[in-house]
Amino acid sequence: MPGQVTAIAGASGSGKSTLLEALNGVRPASRGAVLINETELYANAESLRSLIGYVPQSEILHRELPLGRALMYSARLRLPQDTSAHEIRERVESTLR
């Protein structure tokens, strides 16, 4: 539900990162399916991407950059290469809001 936060906790090496990577489509599972609103994630990853939020355990932002610049830099590295500068700015601004 909107505003709900779910945490995955466990001992080191218990598979938390593997599970989260399967659930967010970074590293698809070798068996089974991941459904979002009854839609299969791996077959519809692009259309479902905006519904997935993932905060990794490790720090991914450069500590010396202002947050907006750090997000722009990360977006340029992580979004598909054909993502327009306008779309990148919109996503960063949406994230900051």
Side-chain angles (χ1 to χ4, degrees):
M1 298 302 294
Q4 182 178 357
V5 175
T6 301
I8 306 293
S12 179
S14 64
K16 299 177 301 292
S17 294
T18 301
L19 172 63
L20 288 173
E21 288 175 355
L23 292 176
N24 70 26
V26 169
R27 185 170 46 176
S30 58
R31 293 189 315 234
V34 175
L35 303 176
I36 297 177
N37 297 331
E38 300 180 17
T39 302
E40 209 283 327
L41 170 62
Y42 305 142
N44 302 283
E46 287 304 313
S47 63
L48 295 172
R49 185 180 306 270
S50 66
L51 299 177
I52 299 170
Y54 174 58
V55 180
Q57 179 177 338
S58 61
E59 180 65 52
I60 61 170
L61 298 176
H62 192 287
R63 294 176 186 258
E64 301 300 319
L65 290 177
L67 180 58
R69 285 186 56 202
L71 290 173
M72 285 291 276
Y73 179 71
S74 292
R76 287 188 195 125
L77 288 173
R78 295 170 186 272
L79 291 173
Q81 288 187 358
D82 62 346
T83 306
S84 72
H86 176 74
E87 186 177 359
I88 291 172
R89 275 192 307 277
E90 283 183 343
R91 288 192 184 197
V92 168
E93 289 171 10
S94 172
T95 300
L96 288 171
R97 280 192 296 277

